[in-house]
Amino acid sequence: MASSKSKKLLQSVQNGLTIIKLFTKDKPLWGITEISRELNLPKSSVSRIVADLVDEGYLEKSVRQYRLGLALLCLAGVLTTHLEIHREAVEPLNSLVNRIGETAHISILEDDRIIYLLKTECKHPVRLLSYIGKDNPAVCTSSGLIMLAHQPMEKTIEVIGKGLPQMGPNSFTNQEELLQELQYIKEKGFAICIDVLHTDAVSIAAPIRDYTGKVIAAVSAAGPRQRISESKMMEIVFEITKTAEAISKRLGYLESVFIDI
């Protein structure tokens, strides 16, 4: 029974995406009957799927026809932002790796996890199991912590409330202590994690802002503790912070105009 329901749900999702793909610049309006004929689907099925798409904002009703909804525009905006971050970050990230000699990443926050959008390897990489598209718990990474530190409190509490996974020996296990650390990170402007995600690993991150001043990503560097001594940590903090500022400026952020609250 469960398998049958899953198949029906998958078919509905596929049909919904197929319906959305019908809408083009040359033909922006479609009616139920037209869609049914074009896709050879029962009108009852088309009517039900279209109603669901309208409820979710992916389609809008225009008299007796339908057009694409604003929810798709929001998704397009997210994709455009990610592409812009990727484009503007490549050169500064490569330069950062050349200066510090450690692998660096650009990450974004998705729900309670961070996702790597960009990665540049150093000349002597260490197996840390990171790659573009890889995700990790936000509370166990320097990039996740720096982004959480700049989220609205309700968002931060929501993420922390989903659990504090034990990844490395220094992973956070107490919510109150983590909230205090996030406040400290926000005041400093950078995050350092030692043995939090992996044993004998150090990661350091700084925030990337868009033209509105909102923190939308993070630049981080990671390497083994044997290479990243305490004295080198502060050198990397300086270089990462400078890189994050450079990428933010490329995205239109003007520090003198916006004040983080």
Side-chain angles (χ1 to χ4, degrees):
M1 181 66 70
S3 178
S4 177
K5 287 183 178 179
S6 297
K7 289 180 180 179
K8 288 182 180 179
L9 177 60
L10 179 59
Q11 188 63 53
S12 294
V13 171
Q14 291 173 335
N15 288 338
L17 293 173
T18 302
I19 288 173
I20 288 175
K21 288 179 180 179
L22 289 177
F23 294 82
T24 65
K25 185 163 56 174
D26 295 330
K27 186 165 176 50
L29 295 173
W30 286 81
I32 298 294
T33 301
E34 286 182 294
I35 295 173
S36 174
R37 289 173 181 168
E38 182 71 19
L39 300 180
N40 194 26
L41 291 172
K43 285 181 64 175
S44 59
S45 297
V46 172
S47 181
R48 174 177 52 78
I49 294 172
V50 166
D52 288 340
L53 291 172
V54 169
D55 287 342
E56 295 299 326
Y58 296 114
L59 293 180
E60 293 178 353
K61 191 168 186 179
S62 177
V63 191
R64 294 185 179 181
Q65 293 180 303
Y66 297 86
R67 62 189 175 201
L68 294 178
L70 292 178
L72 289 171
L73 186 60
C74 293
L75 293 177
V78 172
L79 178 60
T80 300
T81 298
H82 292 175
L83 290 174
E84 185 178 10
I85 294 171
H86 190 284
R87 182 179 65 248
E88 298 298 345
V90 172
E91 184 182 331
L93 198 69
N94 289 340
S95 177
L96 172 66
V97 172
N98 289 333
R99 296 196 306 273
I100 66 175
E102 301 294 345
T103 297
H105 307 84
I106 300 294
S107 311
I108 57 170
L109 181 66
E110 290 287 348
D111 196 17
D112 61 338
R113 305 185 72 81
I114 61 104
I115 299 175
Y116 299 111
L117 284 185
L118 189 60
K119 176 182 180 179
T120 299
E121 290 271 20
C122 64
K123 293 181 179 180
H124 305 287
V126 175
R127 186 175 175 82
L128 294 176
L129 300 179
S130 65
Y131 51 84
I132 295 174
K134 165 75 173 174
D135 66 311
N136 275 317
V139 295
C140 294
T141 63
S142 60
S143 55
L145 294 181
I146 194 67
M147 285 187 280
L148 283 177
H150 290 86
Q151 297 298 308
M153 182 56 70
E154 56 270 22
K155 167 67 175 177
T156 302
I157 292 175
E158 178 186 346
V159 169
I160 293 176
K162 292 185 177 182
L164 301 177
Q166 188 73 40
M167 304 292 288
N170 288 340
S171 293
F172 291 93
T173 58
N174 183 284
Q175 293 188 4
E176 288 301 320
E177 289 180 1
L178 177 53
L179 286 172
Q180 292 177 6
E181 179 65 17
L182 291 175
Q183 181 59 41
Y184 181 52
I185 287 171
K186 186 175 182 179
E187 293 171 358
K188 291 189 301 180
F190 61 88
I192 299 178
C193 285
I194 303 174
D195 296 345
V196 176
L197 183 62
H198 300 291
T199 301
D200 293 326
V202 177
S203 68
I204 303 169
I208 296 173
R209 301 174 185 272
D210 66 6
Y211 69 97
T212 69
K214 180 181 178 181
V215 172
I216 57 171
V219 55
S220 64
R225 290 186 66 179
Q226 64 190 52
R227 279 209 308 251
I228 304 181
S229 61
E230 286 192 20
S231 59
K232 188 177 180 182
M233 279 184 203
M234 296 318 297
E235 293 177 15
I236 293 177
V237 165
F238 174 77
E239 294 295 345
I240 283 184
T241 302
K242 187 167 68 172
T243 300
E245 291 173 352
I247 296 172
S248 297
K249 288 179 180 178
R250 284 173 171 240
L251 294 173
Y253 172 66
L254 298 176
E255 188 174 4
S256 60
V257 177
F258 300 100
I259 300 176
D260 189 23
I261 59 174

